[in-house]
C-alpha cells in the first residue's frame, strides 16, 4: 500500500464544537460499519464541460475533501472507489472544516469505550515521513494507540492520524 496513505487529513485547527453534518456520517459509519452508497451520497464524476464552468466547482473534488483516502481512492464515508480529481458527493467536507477524522474517532472511542479494529483503521506498515504513528498525538510511547487496538510501531500509520499539535486538545 502506498506510503501516501498515511497522510490522512491530519492537520488543522478544528475543535470539537466544530462538528458538522458530514462529520456525523463518519460517526454513523464507526457505529454501524455501513458507509453511504454512492446514490445516497449523491456521488458523481464531473465531465470536462462541467469542470470549466467555474473556479468554485473546481475547488470541490474528492482530493480536496478530508474524508478522502487518496492512495486507495477510497472515502471514509462513501462506499466503493472514488475518482480523486473528478469525484464529488453531497458529503464533501473541505479540509479545515468541521472536525478531523481522527478527532471524530477520538470522540467515538470516548463515548463507546472501545478502540477501533486495525482493519477499519487502515493501518499500514510504513508511512510518509512526518505522517507516521510517532508524529500522531494519539500514539503512546508504549507503542499503543488511543484509537486503535494492538501494538503499532513508530513508522506505521493509519487513516486517522492527527499530527501532534493539531485538531482538538487532548
Amino acid at each position: 500500500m502506498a506510503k501516501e496513505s498515511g497522510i490522512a487529513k491530519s492537520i488543522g485547527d478544528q475543535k470539537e464544537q466544530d462538528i458538522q453534518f458530514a462529520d456525523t456520517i463518519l460517526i454513523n459509519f464507526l457505529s454501524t460499519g455501513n458507509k453511504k452508497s454512492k446514490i445516497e451520497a449523491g456521488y458523481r464524476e464531473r465531465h470536462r464541460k462541467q469542470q470549466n464552468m467555474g473556479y468554485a466547482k473546481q475547488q470541490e473534488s474528492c482530493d480536496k475533501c478530508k474524508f478522502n483516502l487518496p492512495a486507495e481512492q477510497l472515502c471514509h464515508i462513501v462506499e466503493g472507489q472514488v475518482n480523486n480529481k473528478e469525484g464529488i458527493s453531497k458529503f464533501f467536507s473541505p479540509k479545515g472544516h468541521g472536525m478531523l477524522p481522527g478527532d471524530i474517532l477520538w470522540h467515538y472511542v470516548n463515548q463507546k469505550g472501545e478502540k477501533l479494529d486495525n482493519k477499519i483503521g487502515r493501518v499500514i506498515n510504513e508511512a510518509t515521513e512526518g505522517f507516521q504513528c510517532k508524529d500522531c498525538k494519539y500514539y503512546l510511547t508504549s507503542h499503543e494507540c488511543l484509537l486503535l487496538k494492538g501494538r503499532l510501531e513508530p513508522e506505521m500509520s493509519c487513516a486517522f492520524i492527527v499530527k501532534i499539535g493539531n485538531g482538538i486538545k487532548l
Side-chain angles (χ1 to χ4, degrees):
M1 197 174 291
K3 290 182 181 183
E4 290 77 18
S5 299
I7 306 175
K9 311 327 151 281
S10 67
I11 54 177
D13 298 326
Q14 297 90 334
K15 296 180 177 32
E16 199 163 354
Q17 62 268 22
D18 293 334
I19 197 164
Q20 295 184 349
F21 175 71
D23 299 340
T24 64
I25 303 299
L26 179 54
I27 292 171
N28 181 62
F29 164 69
L30 295 170
S31 298
T32 66
N34 297 325
K35 291 185 175 188
K36 296 291 184 184
S37 72
K38 287 185 176 181
I39 293 170
E40 290 173 303
Y43 175 83
R44 65 191 185 285
E45 293 181 12
R46 293 186 302 258
H47 301 286
R48 292 199 186 272
K49 288 180 185 176
Q50 293 171 315
Q51 288 177 349
N52 296 326
M53 291 178 66
Y55 181 74
K57 289 294 180 193
Q58 291 175 352
Q59 292 301 311
E60 292 184 358
S61 61
C62 289
D63 65 343
K64 294 174 180 61
C65 180
K66 70 182 181 186
F67 296 121
N68 184 39
L69 298 168
E72 300 97 331
Q73 293 186 321
L74 297 176
C75 177
H76 277 295
I77 57 178
V78 177
E79 62 187 18
Q81 202 167 29
V82 297
N83 182 320
N84 288 337
K85 296 287 184 192
E86 315 301 333
I88 186 72
S89 85
K90 69 180 180 183
F91 300 123
F92 172 80
S93 187
K95 299 172 189 178
H97 291 256
M99 290 173 66
L100 296 167
D103 286 340
I104 295 169
L105 178 54
W106 171 247
H107 180 74
Y108 172 80
V109 167
N110 277 330
Q111 287 186 335
K112 184 91 170 170
E114 185 178 335
K115 294 181 182 184
L116 197 66
D117 182 82
N118 284 0
K119 184 178 179 184
I120 296 172
R122 304 197 68 78
V123 174
I124 60 172
N125 289 328
E126 187 179 350
T128 300
E129 189 69 34
F131 292 91
Q132 298 174 324
C133 286
K134 66 183 178 185
D135 306 306
C136 181
K137 70 181 182 182
Y138 295 114
Y139 185 66
L140 305 174
T141 55
S142 63
H143 297 247
E144 293 287 321
C145 176
L146 296 175
L147 306 176
L148 303 175
K149 297 176 184 174
R151 183 177 169 85
L152 301 173
E153 296 304 318
E155 66 279 358
M156 296 172 89
S157 189
C158 77
F160 292 96
I161 184 174
V162 178
K163 290 187 79 169
I164 296 167
N166 289 289
I168 63 171
K169 300 274 188 248
L170 290 182

